[in-house]
Amino acid sequence: MRGIHRGAAFGLIAALSLTACGGGNDSDSNPLTGGDGGDGKSIVVGSANFPESQLLAEIYAQALEAKDLKVTRKFDIGAREVYYDQVVKGGIQVFPEYNGALLAVAVDKTSTVTSTEDINAELKKKLPSSVTILDSAEAEDKDSVTVTAETAKKYDLKSIADLKPVAGDWTIGAGSEFKTRMQGGVGLKKIYGVEFGKYQPLDAGAQSTLLKLLKSNEVQAANIYTTDPAIVEDKLVVLQDPKNLYSSQNVTPLIHKSAVDDKAQAALNAVSAELTTQDLLNMMKKLVNDKEDAATVAKEWLTKAGLAD
């Protein structure tokens, strides 16, 4: 689950939306095309279709390669509804997940736990037998409902609950899957009694477009993730979540057990032991603002952390 942004041109919006949940990819561009994509000897590392997921996948992939393990990359796959089954089946064998979203969206939509420890305990208990999670990083990136500072001041908004009187007249910009997820439109209504009048669906890669829509008031609220550098740079207001609609979202590798041996697991766990939220924010600034290449940013962090030469 990750935040997105959108431009004023609705033709562009429609085009961007096609790639959400893996839509709009033809057989030549679909990273899942061609079976397991590996040769039986390499570990297939996947990512979703947003920059942070791709960065994390690159970090874990390079950490494996630093231990002389062969890796096949299958990045930019789509939403969890697409890639989760691929991990379960073994077509993807390592995937950087967010533990709370994994539990709530793919494993147990009725779960009410919110802490890292409780979430991981439920995942280990309820995941299919072919997969498991490894150690969670301290690094965390959570969903949020975010507004501009001007909107927050005008309507005296501090928490999500404060949206109840106004949301019916507003549009929220979010990923196409947001409306039907518990940690989205369903949970907003159930937990806070907040129901937006309209949803503007966006592809997970359309970050800059969503910001434009938010700042121009074409959407009045947005599902933006908490490591997005724009929150600080544009002085956006992340509304408080006192009822914990958004659970802990620690970066946590999801693996297909039969394909990831002890050596590989140790390499992945070593990354999680070092990765902090501040690290993630710093890297996202380089990726989003400075337009640096994800592989370069990943290599720099791994070297600094002592996990690569």
Side-chain angles (χ1 to χ4, degrees):
M1 294 178 66
R2 308 260 351 170
I4 14 222
H5 310 32
R6 216 87 187 209
F10 286 97
L12 173 61
I13 290 169
L16 289 170
S17 297
L18 288 175
T19 59
C21 295
N25 285 341
D26 60 26
S27 60
D28 293 331
S29 62
N30 185 351
L32 294 178
T33 300
D36 67 9
D39 56 7
K41 297 180 181 179
S42 64
I43 300 171
V44 182
V45 178
S47 86
N49 59 341
F50 57 90
E52 186 174 282
S53 180
Q54 294 158 15
L55 171 65
L56 290 167
E58 186 63 44
I59 290 171
Y60 283 114
Q62 289 190 28
L64 291 169
E65 289 171 333
K67 297 299 182 182
D68 298 321
L69 296 166
K70 187 176 178 181
V71 171
T72 298
R73 289 164 173 78
K74 285 197 170 185
F75 292 0
D76 196 28
I77 292 169
R80 188 170 287 104
E81 287 82 353
V82 176
Y83 65 70
Y84 174 72
D85 283 346
Q86 294 296 320
V87 184
V88 171
K89 295 173 182 176
I92 303 167
Q93 295 153 357
V94 174
F95 204 100
E97 261 290 7
Y98 301 90
N99 58 352
L102 173 63
L103 177 63
V105 176
V107 179
D108 183 359
K109 294 180 181 180
T110 67
S111 176
T112 59
V113 298
T114 59
S115 72
T116 300
E117 294 76 14
D118 290 344
I119 289 168
N120 287 351
E122 286 213 5
L123 283 170
K124 289 175 181 178
K125 179 181 178 181
K126 297 177 179 179
L127 279 166
S129 60
S130 62
V131 296
T132 191
I133 56 167
L134 299 183
D135 295 348
S136 288
E138 182 272 333
E140 186 175 27
D141 188 3
K142 301 180 75 165
D143 285 89
S144 74
V145 177
T146 293
V147 298
T148 63
E150 293 79 8
T151 297
K153 182 177 180 180
K154 181 177 180 180
Y155 295 97
D156 193 26
L157 302 177
K158 295 181 176 64
S159 87
I160 295 174
D162 297 332
L163 289 168
K164 190 172 181 179
V166 296
D169 297 321
W170 285 12
T171 300
I172 185 170
S176 58
E177 67 279 1
F178 181 86
K179 185 175 182 179
T180 58
R181 286 181 171 177
M182 183 63 189
Q183 294 192 35
V186 174
L188 285 171
K189 182 177 181 180
K190 181 177 181 180
I191 295 175
Y192 285 103
V194 169
E195 189 169 12
F196 284 93
K198 294 181 181 179
Y199 283 82
Q200 182 58 70
L202 298 127
D203 167 46
Q207 315 279 11
S208 61
T209 316
L210 179 55
L211 273 179
K212 291 176 183 177
L213 285 182
L214 185 63
K215 291 191 289 185
S216 66
N217 203 41
E218 292 179 66
V219 300
Q220 290 71 49
N223 173 221
I224 296 177
Y225 296 89
T226 55
T227 58
D228 193 322
I231 290 173
V232 174
E233 292 178 0
D234 294 311
K235 299 179 180 179
L236 303 178
V237 176
V238 175
L239 298 179
Q240 297 170 15
D241 179 20
K243 296 184 179 180
N244 295 315
L245 169 62
Y246 299 123
S247 58
S248 296
Q249 300 291 354
N250 302 87
V251 174
T252 306
L254 174 68
I255 66 166
H256 190 83
K257 291 189 291 189
S258 65
V260 185
D261 63 16
D262 290 346
K263 180 180 179 181
Q265 290 186 32
L268 298 170
N269 283 334
V271 170
S272 298
E274 297 293 333
L275 188 63
T276 68
T277 301
Q278 188 61 53
D279 289 338
L280 195 51
L281 181 56
N282 291 343
M283 286 188 282
M284 287 304 297
K285 287 179 181 178
K286 292 180 180 181
L287 204 65
V288 176
N289 297 348
D290 302 335
K291 309 300 181 184
E292 292 190 26
D293 178 69
T296 301
V297 175
K299 177 68 172 178
E300 289 174 352
W301 181 83
L302 286 162
T303 302
K304 184 178 179 181
L307 299 175
D309 297 329

